[in-house]
Amino acid sequence: MKNLPKLFRQGDVLIERVECIPNNAVAVQSDNERIVLAHGEATGHAHTLSQKGAKLKQVPGETATYLEIAEALAEVHHQEHATVSLQRGQWRVTRQREYGPEAIRNVAD
Amino acid sequence: MTDLDRYIAACDYPGVLAPQDVDRHLADYLKALGIKRQIVRLGPDWAVTGSLRRTIEEILTDVVRRNPAARAARAARAARAARAARAARAARAARAGALRRFASWCVQYSGWWWNWEMSWLAATFLGAKQLNKENVAAWAKPLFEAFISGCWILYWTDDTLYWAAKPTVHKETNGRLHNEGYAAIESDVENIYFFHGVAVPAFVVVKPEWITVKHIEDEQNAEVRRVMIERYGQDHYLLDSKAEKVHEDDFGTLYRKEIPNDEPLVMVKVVNSTPEPDGQFKDYFIRVPPTIKRAHEALAWTFDKKESEYAPDVQT
């Protein structure tokens, strides 16, 4: 496992391998067959992966989300970025943020 | 429906507008006060005429008398106008425009800030009822009914009680006044423009392409300047105002622009890892806290990481 990539960036989303997902994380329900990691604000574009063999979880009150991948490989797609392949295991997903004098907000591409 | 329920419903502007009912209730109000006035609505086509004009001219004269700088400015303007006889007509038109702006300020803002705003006045009736103050209710009840019928602001002159209808109000979900394309307060007297709760000149909202670097740098109010920079485009402002290039590395370029009486604008320019359909790689800017000194540190911050923790194996 040592030399496998651990930190991926796809546009405004950072995906990093973690040892484990916090115990208090709860599964996030998806409406259809896709898991959406992040929606674009204006474009309708999104970072998505198939629900087959993947679970999205979130710790209440935290902005980062977690992915549990049971398949050997799971592909994260986006309309404007090349596909990223995640190996089996646990991952944390962080949205990119930008600073503002009044509030820090998420970037959305 | 209780009077309190009616009051709460009437606070959702603009709501109902029944001008004849407003006139009738205001007539009852004047009668209760024992005062004689005409009742005139300042509608969408209002003009600075009659006793309104007299009152506004008096206020203007008083302002000039109390403020020697304004007097000097007016004298200088008058001298210029005398020299340029051909411009006299234009000057008269400009003065009429200025008078109307000043009049709308007197009516709307004095109404607003100095308690002739009806949501404030009308509430007196609820208190009078609760405390059984019949002498207060006698004048407060007709005011309350005028508010329910759509009256927003009163303005008194020596022979007339003017009134204006409630405005249409645009807010964002957190309650701040905001409208991206037009006035946030659409009033018959004067439209007022707000951007995320900050009152700004109309062009900042309606014609952001008119904003220049000089406009931004001449603006004294930090909040208005922030809105202007946002409307101009933070990244364009950074480049057009000749911001300092602070640091450059493999992750991007860090720019910093000092802004008087406000925190500096610090942004990192990064190049998209995926090419556009035409094969070009697009630059984009992300604002970071002003304490950041290096491009790598800036990009790491955008993902809540320290500089030492941020080195993606794959970027797309």
Side-chain angles (χ1 to χ4, degrees), chain B residues 80-96:
Chain B
R80 273 204 302 279
R83 275 200 301 273
R86 270 189 305 180
R89 205 168 31 198
R92 266 202 303 280
R95 188 159 187 280

Side-chain angles (χ1 to χ4, degrees), chain B residues 60-213:
Chain B
L60 198 55
T61 306
D62 191 51
V63 168
V64 172
R65 188 175 57 78
R66 286 163 191 261
N67 185 342
R71 193 163 53 208
R74 200 157 86 156
R77 266 205 310 275
R80 273 204 302 279
R83 275 200 301 273
R86 270 189 305 180
R89 205 168 31 198
R92 266 202 303 280
R95 188 159 187 280
L99 194 68
R100 188 185 155 97
R101 279 203 303 282
F102 185 64
S104 63
W105 183 83
C106 287
V107 172
Q108 196 154 280
Y109 292 77
S110 67
W112 199 340
W113 300 119
W114 297 332
N115 305 336
W116 293 106
E117 202 271 343
M118 291 288 282
S119 68
W120 189 87
L121 272 176
T124 310
F125 171 62
L126 299 171
K129 233 174 72 164
Q130 192 177 15
L131 301 173
N132 290 316
K133 302 259 187 190
E134 282 181 20
N135 56 336
V136 177
W139 60 263
K141 167 87 170 147
L143 271 189
F144 180 88
E145 294 299 336
F147 175 65
I148 302 287
S149 305
C151 179
W152 179 39
I153 271 173
L154 300 182
Y155 193 74
W156 296 87
T157 66
D158 53 6
D159 65 6
T160 306
L161 174 59
Y162 291 95
W163 67 274
K166 289 172 191 169
T168 300
V169 178
H170 302 269
K171 287 182 281 190
E172 52 189 345
T173 45
N174 59 17
R176 292 190 302 190
L177 291 165
H178 176 73
N179 190 354
E180 292 215 1
Y182 193 56
I185 294 182
E186 294 179 59
S187 153
D188 290 341
V189 180
E190 186 188 16
N191 284 341
I192 316 177
Y193 297 77
F194 287 84
F195 206 79
H196 299 306
V198 181
V200 293
F203 78 94
V204 172
V205 173
V206 183
K207 291 270 175 201
E209 63 275 20
W210 287 0
I211 303 171
T212 63
V213 169

Side-chain angles (χ1 to χ4, degrees), chain A residues 9-14 38 47 81 94-96 107-109, chain B residues 303:
Chain A
R9 178 176 161 209
Q10 188 181 51
D12 59 355
V13 160
L14 190 73
H47 302 265
H81 300 281
T94 310
R95 295 283 302 272
Q96 192 167 34
V107 173
D109 67 11
Chain B
F303 287 111

Side-chain angles (χ1 to χ4, degrees), chain B residues 11 33 53 58 68 72 84 87 105 154 156 161 165 169 190 210 231 235 243 245 256 258 278 281:
Chain B
C11 285
L33 293 179
R53 183 176 186 117
E58 273 168 27
W105 183 83
L154 300 182
W156 296 87
L161 174 59
V169 178
E190 186 188 16
W210 287 0
R231 298 293 280 163
D235 45 354
K245 195 190 274 187
R256 184 184 181 92
E258 297 296 333
D278 63 4
F281 288 87

Side-chain angles (χ1 to χ4, degrees), chain B residues 216-275:
Chain B
I216 293 167
E217 301 197 336
D218 287 349
E219 176 55 53
Q220 296 297 306
N221 182 295
E223 283 186 309
V224 175
R225 197 167 43 217
R226 262 180 209 171
V227 173
M228 285 176 145
I229 292 172
E230 188 185 331
R231 298 293 280 163
Y232 188 85
Q234 293 188 123
D235 45 354
H236 291 137
Y237 175 64
L238 209 60
L239 297 175
D240 296 349
S241 68
K242 313 266 184 292
E244 185 192 355
K245 195 190 274 187
V246 183
H247 185 253
E248 196 165 15
D249 59 26
D250 292 343
F251 289 86
T253 312
L254 192 71
Y255 290 91
R256 184 184 181 92
K257 171 74 186 172
E258 297 296 333
I259 299 177
N261 305 318
D262 204 353
E263 58 182 37
L265 174 64
V266 177
M267 297 184 92
V268 60
K269 182 176 88 172
V270 285
V271 179
N272 218 338
S273 309
T274 304

Side-chain angles (χ1 to χ4, degrees), chain A residues 6-7 9 16 97 99, chain B residues 263 284 287 302 313-314:
Chain A
K6 290 190 293 194
L7 191 61
R9 178 176 161 209
E16 65 186 305
R97 60 181 179 171
Y99 176 80
Chain B
E263 58 182 37
Y284 64 101
R287 187 165 184 179
T302 69
D313 302 305
V314 178

